[in-house]
Structures are given as C-alpha cells and as structure tokens.
Amino acid sequence: MKRFCHAVTKGRWVIIVVSLLLLIPSVFGYFNTKINYDLITYLPKDVETMKGEDILTDDFKQGAFSVVITENMNAKQILQLEKEIKKVDSVNRVGSVYDIIGYSIPIEMLPDNVASKVKKDDSNLIVVTFKNSTSDDKTLEAVQKIRDLKKNIKVSGMSATTLDTAQMAQSEVIAYVIIAVILCMIVLQIALDSFFVPVLLLGNIGVAILFNMGSNYFLGQISYITQAIAAVLQLGVTTDFSIFLYHKYEYWKTQKEDKKEAMEEAIAETMISVIGSSTTTIAGFLALCTMSLKLGADIGIVMAKGVVFGVITVVTLFPSLVLVCDPIIVKTSHKNILPNFKGVKNFVMKYYKIIFVVFLVCMVPAYYGQSRTQSYYNLTAGLPKRLPGVQANDELKNKFDIVSPYFILVDSDMRPSKTNKMVKEIEKVKGIDTTMSYAKLSSAGISEDVLSDDLRDMIDDGKHQIILISSKYGVATDELNSQIKTVNKIAKSYDKKAIVAGEGPLMRDMVSIADVDFKNVNTASIIAVFVILALVLKSISLPVILVIAIEFAIFCNTAVPFYMGDQIPFVAGIVIGTIQLGATIDYAVLMSTKYLEVRKSGEDKFQSVRTAMTASVSSIFVSALCFFAATIGVGFYSDMDMISAICIMLSRGALISMVTVIFVVPALLLLFDKIIIHTSFGFKGLKEAK
C-alpha cells in the first residue's frame, strides 16, 4: 500500500494527464450509448406475452402499431394521407375503414359498434403498423415524421408516448447534472474550509461520472431511468469519499513537514476506510441484479460501477489535484462554519432511553404505511398531459371509448364458426367493449375480396390470425388484469397455443413480476449488506442492529406516500429500499466503527458512544446533505414522475437515514452494548476504564 501511495504522489502530473486523455473515449462512449425508453423490453424473454410480441414483429412484421387520429378530413383526403404515411421509412402497413368502403359508401352503413370506433364527429382513425419494435429508433423517427405530415393529425400508441419520453428525457438530463452540481457546491462551500476544494472535489467526481457513463457503451444500452439518475446518484453517494481524504490530508499536514508525505498517509487511511464502506454500497446496488425485470440489473450494474470509479479517482486523481493546487487551496481557505453538534450529542446521551421508546413506537406506523403504499404501473400516467402522445391517447379514450386495446393470436386455420363462437364468449366478459376479427367482418357481409392487401396482412399472416379486443378498463388496473386472465383462459380453451398480447397483457406481466421482484431484491440486499458488515465489523449482533436502524428509515421514507394519499411509480417502489440501504448504511458503519475502536481500548459504553458521535456526526451530516442536494433539485425539476418520484424519495431517504443514525443508532449502541461486546471479535479480556 505504501508503494501505491508513494506512486500516486510522485506521479501526480502523469495521473492528471492520463485522466484527461481518458475523458476522450469516455465522452465518445457517453454520446454513443443507446438509451432505451421502453421499460417493457426489460421483461423476461420467456414470458408468453413477450413471445406474442415476437410473433407480431417477426411473422406479421408489426413490431409496433399506432392509431392516427385525423381532424376535419374527408374520405379522399384520408386515403391520400394513407399513401403519404406508407412512404415513411419503417412504416409497414396502413389501413382505415375507407380502404373497405371507399369514397362513396356512407360509413353509417357499417354496424354501429364498428362505425363508432372508426369515426366520431369530424375525427377518423387510421391504423399504422411499423416494421421495427415499439422503442426502435427507426420506429420513433417514423412517428415523428407522421406527426410532421399534417397539423390536424395526432399519433397515439406506445411508440408515440415512448417518443415523448425520449424527447423529454433528452431535454432534461443535462439540467439534472447542472442542478445537482450547483446544490452540492453550496453544501460543500459550507462544509469545507476552502472555497477552491469544492471545485476540485466536484471536478474529480465529474471525471468519475464520465468514466462510468462512457463505459456504459460496452453494455450495449441503458434505460432512460438509469441515464437520468446514475450521475446524480454517483455524485451523492461518492462525495463523502473525497471529503474524507481531504480531512485526512489536512490533519496529516499538521503532523508532517512534507505535504507529499502527508498525502501518502491520507491516501492509505482513505483506502482502508473507503474501500470497506463502499463495499456495502456496491453490494446494495448489485442486489438489484436479482430482479427478473432486467431494469434492475441495468441500474444496479451502472451504479455499482460508478462507486468503483468513484473509489479509484478518489485515491488517484483527487490526491493529485489537491497536491498540485495546494497553494490555491491555502489562499482560498476560510473559517469552518459547520456546527459542532454539541447540543445534539448531549441530547442523545441524556435521553437515549426515551429515543429508543420513540423508535419502537414509530416503527409501527412506519411499517404499516410502507406495506400499504400503492404503486402504479401505467407507464404513461406519470407523463405531462401536454405531450402529443398523451393527448392522442386521451382523445382515443374520451372520444372513441378506446381505452385499452389488445390482441389475441390464434391459429390461422381456425374455422370462422369456431372463431365467432370464441369471440361471442369473450364479448360476455365484464368490461369488454368491442371485438374485431376477420370472421366477424365476414359475418357482417365484408368479404375478403373487399379488404385491401394491407388490411388482410394486418389480420392474418398465414400462421396466426389476430382478434382485436377493446376493453373499458385502463392499462395496469386490477380490473383489466382480471379481464385479461379470463380472456386468456377462454382463448386457450379454443386454441391451446393462443396468446394474448399487447400493452395491457404486457403490463399485467409487469405487475406480477414486479411484486415478486420487490420482495426478492429487498431480501437479497439485506442479506448481502449483513454478510459484508459482519466481515467488516467482525460482529454478529452489530450488523443486525445497523440493518434494523436503516430499514426503519426506509420504512419511514416509503410510508410517506401512503399517509399523503399518493401513488408512486412501480420502479420507485422496487429500487428505493435497496438504494437507500446501500447508500446510507455507511453512515451507521462510520459511527459504529469508531464506537468499536474506542470500546475495545477499554473505555465504557458512554464514553465510547460519545467519542463515536464526536468523530462522525459532522461527516454524516455533510454526506447526507450532499446526497440530499444531488437528488432533491432533480426531483422538483423533472416533469417525468418516474424520475421525479425516485429522486424525491432518495433525497427524503437520505435525511431520514441521517436522523436515524445520529439519534437512534447511538441509543441502540448504548442499550445493547453488552450483547455487542459478547458477540463481536476483539473484546476478550476487556477491562473497562473506571
């Protein structure tokens, strides 16, 4: 370790130059990493609904579909618009009712339940299918080109809202980082004793963030959620690493005449402390990889990688920058204005038993509230109403009563009579609004010869035929999920290989998988963190105490939406607990490590806890404030509820964890001191000071 520390101080200019050169491929990687805006693609590939999507994409060449709503256009103009849409790259097929009835036949000649679903007042519908998947770049480009064809048309569907999400995320992501940096800068100016050190510190973290985000290129793609929160989370989680090294450097400068020797001592102590504490954070993030929903691995790997890059730069680049800029640091030094928290320490030491009772009392409503916090799964529910895709979907719902369309894929050779019998049975299911199939069209007098090639190909590819279902229930609601279950059962009674596909069925699978993931990922993170703490602290009881304390903080955080009457996006419900545990357990580790150190030296429990609080409360306060600052601004700024909710909950969680560690953890250490010293390594033959 001494050789490494000496190499860093000696080669500081080389480290700075190499780091700057490595920014070139990092920037290239950042801008060339594909961003995935469709969370449905993270469902396991062996799920039946995903197989249905593959059939639509590979066999029907209908990777995605949209419904175009026209305003104040006659039949001739609509058919002309269809020709223009067909010319757009990636568009596969286009069809409307006017491909069947032409210019002259009044639409009123069709059955009422059909006519009302294709024309309402001056609005008409055109169905468009695309060759590529919902979130494919070519599909999104095609949706934008269709929007640009006419001012009086709207494009609905998942691809349209995915495009809206992409455009909004791209416009906001840089602002996230700027807001986080400004707020962290304010905190660091207060917390540190030099105006210039925060600049170096944030610059160092900025390099680590670019290394991390640039290396995502090798992952192939990341989700827009990962792109949005990874940088601010990395900033919030790894800032205290640099603060720790700087404080150690300032201390050793008073003990050593040579500042390079002082830095070597600071690096050595930082490596021992930071590598140990960062392991729990990495374990917490990697626990997300246990999710069946691959979004967990997407976030977990990127964030774990970010912590690793943060550790590397804090023991290489940051010391180099501090040594080179030491004269500037000295010139810009100022009086430390951070409070000493003496009143807080005295309060905790005096009333620790009352604090413990309050902790036990608060555990009940915290647990009750978090267990009843509701999540929503509709991916468009958290998007602003002003977005064109959202407006188009709302118009389909409000004007045409088309709320949740989905499909049934059955054998192409199924007899029309059998198909009609199945459809009639499905129509009796509660909440079914409309059904549409080729057999139904035939029975209404519309023969195959009347249909255009595009319409025929949309319905039947020679292997499968499509039956369209329109439900009255919204996507991801309990009512629709129950309906889909019933429809699926009916369809399979007629064709064992039938598949119910589309957005509604996909989101039903998302709900069931997410419920399991929530339990699995929390269990995995707790076990991983417990094992690491047991090894780091060399104790059995202390990891239990610390995990319980942080889990209490997590319960308090996730209970807030329930008591406020809010729902949270399902992704937030899954990842918040794991991220908060991994990111803030370090606060408790910092305090308990010092407690163990002093306690093993022979001091009694009161002096040990007092010393531990004196040594750690300021650091915990600054670390939590940095985490809060890095996330709260993004939470309030973002118009996407998926991002906003995650960041607001993380910022709130940082403060709750801070309060818990500063007040509750010392009380637990005092109350369970005897258990701790009898279940921890290094206390044999302890003789306490009188």
Side-chain angles (χ1 to χ4, degrees), residues 137-202:
D137 289 343
K138 292 182 179 179
T139 302
L140 301 186
E141 288 173 11
V143 170
Q144 185 59 58
K145 288 178 180 178
I146 293 171
R147 283 177 175 174
D148 295 338
L149 288 175
K150 303 280 184 183
K151 290 184 179 180
N152 57 336
I153 65 173
K154 295 176 182 176
V155 184
S156 69
M158 289 177 66
S159 293
T161 51
T162 299
L163 175 61
D164 291 340
T165 302
Q167 291 174 339
M168 180 172 288
Q170 290 165 5
S171 68
E172 289 188 353
V173 68
I174 300 300
Y176 297 162
V177 177
I178 294 172
I179 291 169
V181 168
I182 291 173
L183 294 178
C184 278
M185 178 66 77
I186 294 172
V187 172
L188 293 173
Q189 291 293 349
I190 296 171
L192 300 176
D193 58 1
S194 170
F195 293 115
F196 191 65
V197 170
V199 176
L200 295 180
L201 192 150
L202 291 175

